[in-house]
Amino acid sequence: MHTSRPRLRTTLLSTALLVLTTQLGFAQSMSTPETWSAAQHEVWQTVASYSDASKERDLERYLSHWHPRFLGWHSGDDVPTNKADRAEGLNWYFSQTTPEDYALEPLGLEVVGTTAVVHYRIQQTLRMPDGSTAPDVSHWTDVLVKEDGRWWLMSDHGGSVAPASVPAESLGLKVNHVRLRVHDVDAAAAFYTDVLGFERDTAPCGPGRIGLKGAMLPLVLEEADGPLPPLSEATPRTKVTLEAYDLHATMARLKGEGVAFTIDPPVPFGVNAAGEPLGLATRFQDPMGHEFSIVEEPQEGAAPFDGIRVYNAGFDVPDVEAAQTFYTDALGFEVLSDEYLPNVPMQHTDGSFAFMLHGHTDLGPAPTIQPDEAAVMMVFSTADLAQTVSALQQRGVDVLINDAVSSVVTFQDPFGNVVQVSEVK
């Protein structure tokens, strides 16, 4: 779902730039639009044009300004990326963010023959799919070449300035989704939508992946590149719990669809502070072999809902105190409550629910699996992946994979769970 962090370009009309020159903070030693040559204005108009296409989320028009042999280097990437790499990332990024209050500020522009170098700053506010907003400032250097009478974007370098508002101790990590690896993503999507009643997310989340909307958090189905090991080995401790409003009625409906339950009839689960059961629970496997619990937790005043939705997700751990230490000290999450020991709900630093830690003293030693064998993964998000990776490494977290192209890192917690962090602006 997640790709190399693409830049977001914005635009101001070049005529407006001529009027607002004194407000844009140029250094006295560099030329301004008032003193630019015709060639410099021509170059800037090209930059303004593809920036405007980016602002309007017109990917085809945006990329039409890029040279077929484009090779750029984002400051957060380990290696340069070509036009195809950026196109894949931009397609997802454009679907996830909407720019507001943007301003494009030229900082330097030189033309030598058929080559131009442009330095500029972008300031904007990004609106996310959930309605939240975040300020973003980025610095860019673009190299353009003139061929066949027009200017082409040949290369770039730059990226967002690391947000000073994210406390170093918290990392700003948030739960983004849970990824389920399957042999046949289309067949899996059909089961989750037609049988379980999930809604398919129309937003693109990368090749070979299909998103499913859930009440608590999304699920993403990912096509496995090769054979998957037995799920008992590949997903030892990362769990997803589902929820139904009327569990008995839901079980009857699913049985009619051929779903078999390993707990039938359902049994009470958990207890509250008064020692009373929280509700009913059962278990089943999907056709791909993933095992789920389904719970019914009556809550006073709760509105009825149809189908099945995500109740929570989390990790089974043999030592819940050690798990709390890792996820608080190393990753920056906080304990929401210790009322339900040995089950501990964790929260983000803003107080919102994040995930569960389920204490099980009989789990035994953590199995050793390769990162690409994990059939279920919790995926966290961060606003600045480079900053997060540096902080994780300083805290002793062993980063197994750092995928600069996809802007995703993979690590394994001390309890056998493969976890990913993706960059989401």
Side-chain angles (χ1 to χ4, degrees), residues 12-187:
L12 293 175
L13 294 175
S14 58
T15 53
L17 288 169
L18 293 172
V19 177
L20 298 175
T21 296
T22 57
Q23 301 178 18
L24 295 178
F26 292 101
Q28 292 182 352
S29 61
M30 53 181 290
S31 64
T32 68
E34 292 178 332
T35 60
W36 280 352
S37 66
Q40 287 174 305
H41 278 295
E42 189 178 68
V43 169
W44 182 253
Q45 186 57 51
T46 300
V47 175
S49 180
Y50 59 65
S51 296
D52 188 59
S54 175
K55 174 183 70 73
E56 296 178 359
R57 295 302 192 251
D58 188 336
L59 183 60
E60 182 177 357
R61 181 159 60 94
Y62 182 37
L63 294 176
S64 71
H65 293 277
W66 292 36
H67 195 281
R69 296 174 64 186
F70 169 90
L71 188 65
W73 195 354
H74 189 284
S75 58
D77 293 342
D78 292 334
V79 296
T81 50
N82 60 26
K83 186 174 180 179
D85 293 332
R86 292 287 185 87
E88 180 181 350
L90 285 163
N91 186 51
W92 175 85
Y93 185 63
F94 280 8
S95 72
Q96 298 297 306
T97 60
T98 303
E100 299 176 354
D101 304 325
Y102 63 87
L104 177 67
E105 178 182 358
L107 300 176
L109 196 162
E110 293 293 342
V111 178
V112 179
T114 58
T115 303
V117 177
V118 187
H119 307 281
Y120 57 94
R121 177 187 295 118
I122 296 173
Q123 299 186 66
Q124 66 199 330
T125 299
L126 296 177
R127 183 168 295 279
M128 311 306 176
D130 63 2
S132 63
T133 59
D136 182 79
V137 179
S138 57
H139 298 166
W140 290 97
T141 296
D142 287 359
V143 178
L144 293 88
V145 296
K146 193 169 189 178
E147 289 185 1
D148 301 324
R150 60 170 292 187
W151 289 97
W152 299 84
L153 177 63
M154 188 71 192
S155 183
D156 68 358
H157 182 67
S160 297
V161 178
S165 60
V166 178
E169 63 272 14
S170 75
L171 300 185
L173 292 180
K174 292 185 72 71
V175 175
N176 190 268
H177 64 273
V178 174
R179 183 173 300 168
L180 307 175
R181 298 180 73 236
V182 298
H183 292 292
D184 187 331
V185 69
D186 292 319

Side-chain angles (χ1 to χ4, degrees), residues 244-255 296:
Y245 183 77
D246 185 330
L247 188 56
H248 287 286
T250 298
M251 290 178 67
R253 180 179 67 82
L254 293 181
K255 288 177 182 177
E296 173 193 320

Side-chain angles (χ1 to χ4, degrees), residues 267-278:
V267 298
F269 81 95
V271 293
N272 58 19
E276 302 167 332
L278 296 175

